[in-house]
Amino acid sequence: MEHSYEPSNSIEAALHDYKMGLGTFTQKMPDLAQHYNAFTEACFKEGSLSQKQKQLIALGISLYSQDEYCIIYHVKGCLDQGASEEEVLEAVGVTAAFGGGAAMSQAVTLVQEAMDELNQGQMKQ
């Protein structure tokens, strides 16, 4: 008798879909998958930064890049590594500040420069 997995919510379903897709990719591209997995495992090993800190960093990057599967995966990683809700939300706040900061830095430099130069070009015409 075949056992089928029934996720209890959309988050579990997304994690299951990711794991199934990764399994299929691993079957089709075993050498590449093995190297990628080894690299990833090495990056997330305990070191000068704890595994919890690394998961919080990964969550921030996932949010900034708007990668839904990675967001879910790294929220789970944060929780699995003992991060509190407050720590996760602080990481979210830092990510939002950085994302907003990137927009602001472009606005006060590149956008302003472009407007100045484009307006000067119109004055010459």
Side-chain angles (χ1 to χ4, degrees):
M1 186 161 105
E2 193 174 313
H3 181 286
S4 66
Y5 173 75
E6 283 296 321
S8 61
N9 57 53
S10 63
I11 298 301
E12 284 185 9
L15 286 170
H16 179 72
D17 288 348
Y18 174 75
K19 289 178 182 177
M20 295 301 292
L22 194 55
T24 300
F25 181 79
T26 299
Q27 288 175 346
K28 293 180 177 183
M29 301 293 292
D31 190 51
L32 183 61
Q34 185 266 325
H35 285 90
Y36 174 77
N37 290 336
F39 174 73
T40 301
E41 287 174 23
C43 290
F44 280 88
K45 280 186 181 175
E46 193 83 17
S48 296
L49 296 174
S50 70
Q51 289 181 318
K52 179 172 77 172
Q53 290 169 320
K54 291 179 179 188
Q55 286 294 335
L56 289 164
I57 291 167
L59 174 59
I61 295 167
S62 300
L63 285 164
Y64 187 73
S65 62
Q66 300 180 1
D67 184 332
E68 291 181 20
Y69 284 101
C70 284
I71 292 167
I72 293 167
Y73 186 83
H74 291 295
V75 166
K76 182 178 183 332
C78 288
L79 298 176
D80 288 349
Q81 292 301 319
S84 67
E85 181 178 356
E86 186 175 326
E87 289 172 315
V88 170
L89 294 178
E90 280 189 24
V92 168
V94 170
T95 304
F98 178 80
M104 182 59 83
S105 69
Q106 295 299 319
V108 300
T109 56
L110 188 58
V111 170
Q112 190 62 52
E113 181 182 346
M115 286 193 304
D116 290 346
E117 289 185 14
L118 291 169
N119 283 335
Q120 285 177 3
Q122 286 182 344
M123 287 180 193
K124 291 179 182 178
Q125 292 178 357

